[in-house]
Amino acid sequence: MMYEVIKLTGTTDASGDLTVTSTASYNGRLALVQWIDGDLADGVDAVLSMTNTDAGVDVTLLTLTNANDDALYPVRAIAKDQAGATITYDGTNEIYEPLPVVGKLKLVVSSGGDTKTGGAVVFLET
C-alpha cells in the first residue's frame, strides 16, 4: 500500500482564522489525519473537507473542536450498501471503511489566535 502525504498548514490572520486549500486534486482513500497544534490558541476549531470548486461542493471529512494538542485521527465512515443501509458483521456491529477523496483538500481553522501557526497532515491511500 502506498500513501500520499498532503501538508495543510499555515498562519492565522488577526481574527484567528486560516483557510488552506491544496493546489492539487487527489484520488485516494483517507487513511489518517495528523493534527499539528503548533502554537495555535487553546479552543481552536478546524474542519477538513474535500472540495470540488467546479461543482461548488464541499464534503466534510473531519471536524475538530477545541483541538488543543497534537493528535492522530484515523478517519472512517460506516459502510453502506447500494440502497444506503448500514453494512454489519452480524446485524449489529457496523463495518467502517476509509472515506474516498476525489478532489482538493481544504482545511478551515477558526479561533486559532492572532498570527499563530498549525494545521494538519493528511495521509491518503493511493
Side-chain angles (χ1 to χ4, degrees):
M1 187 173 313
M2 305 247 334
Y3 290 94
E4 187 150 5
V5 179
I6 302 102
K7 189 174 180 182
L8 301 171
T9 59
T11 302
T12 60
D13 62 18
S15 298
D17 300 330
L18 166 67
T19 299
V20 182
T21 303
S22 65
T23 55
S25 290
Y26 298 96
N27 185 357
R29 296 174 0 141
L30 182 58
L32 183 70
V33 176
Q34 178 183 11
W35 175 248
I36 301 170
D37 184 50
D39 65 353
L40 295 170
D42 284 349
V44 63
D45 299 327
V47 175
L48 175 67
S49 62
M50 172 180 60
T51 183
N52 182 330
T53 53
D54 294 334
V57 176
D58 277 0
V59 176
T60 299
L61 302 171
L62 177 66
T63 301
L64 301 175
T65 304
N66 295 326
N68 300 331
D69 297 305
D70 293 352
L72 295 174
Y73 297 94
V75 182
R76 301 287 185 266
I78 296 174
K80 304 282 186 176
D81 65 16
Q82 292 177 337
T86 298
I87 300 172
T88 66
Y89 285 111
D90 57 6
T92 58
N93 293 304
E94 294 100 359
I95 296 173
Y96 291 83
E97 60 186 7
L99 295 168
V101 173
V102 179
K104 293 183 177 186
L105 292 169
K106 179 170 70 170
L107 179 69
V108 177
V109 174
S110 61
S111 304
D114 182 6
T115 59
K116 304 290 184 177
T117 60
V121 178
V122 178
F123 296 83
L124 291 183
E125 296 175 359
T126 56

